[in-house]
Amino acid sequence: MSEQVRTMFAAIAGKYDVMNTVLTFGMHHAWRRRAVRLSGAAGGMSVLDCASGTGDLAFEFKKVVGTNGVVVATDFCKEMLDVIPSKSKDNGLALQVEVADAMNLQYPDNSYDIVSISYGIRNVDNPVTALTEMARVTKNGGKLVIIETGMPTGIAKVGYRIFAQYIVPLLGRLIARNTQAYTYLPETASRFPYGNAFATLVRTVPAIADVRVVPLMLGASYIYIASVQK
């Protein structure tokens, strides 16, 4: 993965959670909980969370799989993962934390019931390679869970573009003290396929049998649930 992107995420790690809450008006937590419900996660399951950042989605999975389940939070940026231990202490949920590149996962085939990635697939150098790796380490009959940005429809599309182009970089400068990162992130979001177009991309992975597409907030984000059949 790009060293430039890794360095960028390292620089904003300390303000990442605050910015996520501000930019989604606090709704990102509910979106992650919904993704966990849609995944079919249950007690005792094993979950690998890729591009986990500060672990928000991994923590939601841990609440469901319980003490008998395993959730591994991974990211290629150690500085993001370094935030997780303090959050674990605050919420009483223990995660396994490991540095890993989503495009070259160090785990054996068929290791996890669920493999997830939240707002990270658009930042890898090759999304199909990452999805193929994620499917490889997923058990037969398991699920890939992907949350990613999209684009609202109708009149909301105009407001969203203004927000992404002007307000997000301003908030990045004021809160995270990093205009560059919060210019880059909406730019990558605007270029990345979403909805049915992204689902078509996911289906190019041979092990993917089906993809469910769930829009959030008029399409500002999407949840994708992909079934793995080998």
Side-chain angles (χ1 to χ4, degrees), residues 36-140:
V36 172
R37 290 196 300 270
L38 291 171
S39 74
M45 283 188 172
S46 57
V47 180
L48 176 69
D49 189 36
C50 300
S52 195
T54 60
D56 280 346
L57 183 57
F59 282 121
E60 294 298 337
F61 272 114
K62 186 60 178 176
K63 291 175 186 177
V64 174
V65 304
T67 55
N68 292 328
V70 174
V71 178
V72 183
T74 68
D75 203 289
F76 79 124
C77 179
K78 180 181 181 297
E79 290 82 356
M80 295 287 276
L81 296 174
D82 285 344
V83 179
I84 291 178
S86 63
K87 294 172 72 171
S88 290
K89 185 177 179 180
D90 290 341
N91 61 32
L93 296 169
L95 304 177
Q96 292 185 24
V97 180
E98 299 176 2
V99 175
D101 185 337
M103 295 199 306
N104 186 25
L105 296 169
Q106 61 262 41
Y107 308 104
D109 296 356
N110 310 310
S111 295
Y112 297 94
D113 296 298
I114 296 169
V115 178
S116 60
I117 188 166
S118 175
Y119 300 107
I121 193 66
R122 77 179 190 274
N123 295 316
V124 303
D125 292 338
N126 190 319
V128 173
T129 298
L131 291 166
T132 301
E133 272 291 274
M134 291 168 65
R136 177 185 66 78
V137 302
T138 305
K139 296 177 183 178
N140 185 39

Side-chain angles (χ1 to χ4, degrees), residues 121-207:
I121 193 66
R122 77 179 190 274
N123 295 316
V124 303
D125 292 338
N126 190 319
V128 173
T129 298
L131 291 166
T132 301
E133 272 291 274
M134 291 168 65
R136 177 185 66 78
V137 302
T138 305
K139 296 177 183 178
N140 185 39
K143 295 288 197 305
L144 296 190
V145 178
I146 305 153
I147 311 175
E148 193 49 86
T149 55
M151 180 66 69
T153 56
I155 191 65
K157 186 174 184 177
V158 177
Y160 182 83
R161 283 181 167 172
I162 292 172
F163 179 75
Q165 186 172 354
Y166 299 106
I167 305 302
V168 171
L170 176 61
L171 292 171
R173 178 168 65 85
L174 294 175
I175 299 173
R177 299 291 190 266
N178 194 315
T179 304
Q180 181 183 6
Y182 286 95
T183 299
Y184 165 85
L185 291 171
E187 283 179 352
T188 58
S190 68
R191 297 192 300 266
F192 199 72
Y194 59 89
N196 290 330
F198 180 69
T200 298
L201 181 71
V202 177
R203 291 188 184 100
T204 65
V205 177

